[in-house]
Amino acid sequence: MRSNENTLLLGKKVVLVPYTAEHVPRYHEWMKSEELQRLTASEPLTLEQEYSMQRSWREDAAKCTFIVLDAEKWQAQLSTTEESCMAGDVNLFLTDLGDPSLGEIEVMIAEPSCRGKGFGTEAVLMMMSYGVTKLGLTKFEAKIGQGNEPSIRMFRKLHFEQVAVSSVFQEVTFRLTVNEHERQWLLEQTSHVEEKCYRDGSLESH
């Protein structure tokens, strides 16, 4: 999605930046993990296929992707590369042509040292806030593998309710409708987030 290509979102624990070619090698290394392939229902790709996927997602108006960076690492060293700060990614898929207000959200904290620190929770909250305020979304869905207990607990904590279970795909579907009460709660949870201008793999003022 090109609408977020110049957007950087700065939170307390994580920084969200657009998925660029700079991030592909680290992402490719992550996706060699059989555990991550299972959790994300993904097939391993070659590096060239991964670059092609990054380019296609950037052009696809139905996919909004941010790379999740470790904010502490990112802020500690002005000269550090984003690749060395990468923790995972967060995505919104606007794939229901009959309902443009619905977004499917998914998050992956791929870096083992970054798990269990609340990175995924903040990244999802920031992405939901972006979806509500910038993309006009009012409903979110999350499809999670039945064995992925940490993700299931996280989405329940974020007010999502289970609406379906697929034994075929071994996944649970959660949904959240953002009414006025939920919208206010979401904006309060993300009131600390700063939106900055991101260009060419760097923050203009960073």
Side-chain angles (χ1 to χ4, degrees), residues 30-92:
W30 285 340
M31 296 315 295
K32 290 179 180 178
S33 159
E34 291 184 4
E35 178 200 12
L36 289 179
Q37 289 172 24
R38 179 175 53 81
L39 290 174
T40 59
S42 301
E43 295 292 327
L45 302 177
T46 66
L47 183 59
E48 190 48 51
Q49 287 173 323
E50 210 77 75
Y51 275 111
S52 178
M53 182 80 77
Q54 180 270 324
R55 289 191 295 271
S56 71
W57 280 34
R58 180 177 179 174
E59 300 297 329
D60 192 336
K63 294 183 174 69
C64 181
T65 298
F66 283 102
I67 291 293
V68 180
L69 307 180
D70 180 329
E72 187 177 0
K73 280 185 184 177
W74 181 80
Q75 291 177 310
Q77 303 171 19
L78 291 177
S79 61
T80 194
T81 64
E82 283 183 4
E83 192 180 3
S84 68
C85 304
M86 286 171 63
D89 72 339
V90 62
N91 302 289
L92 271 175

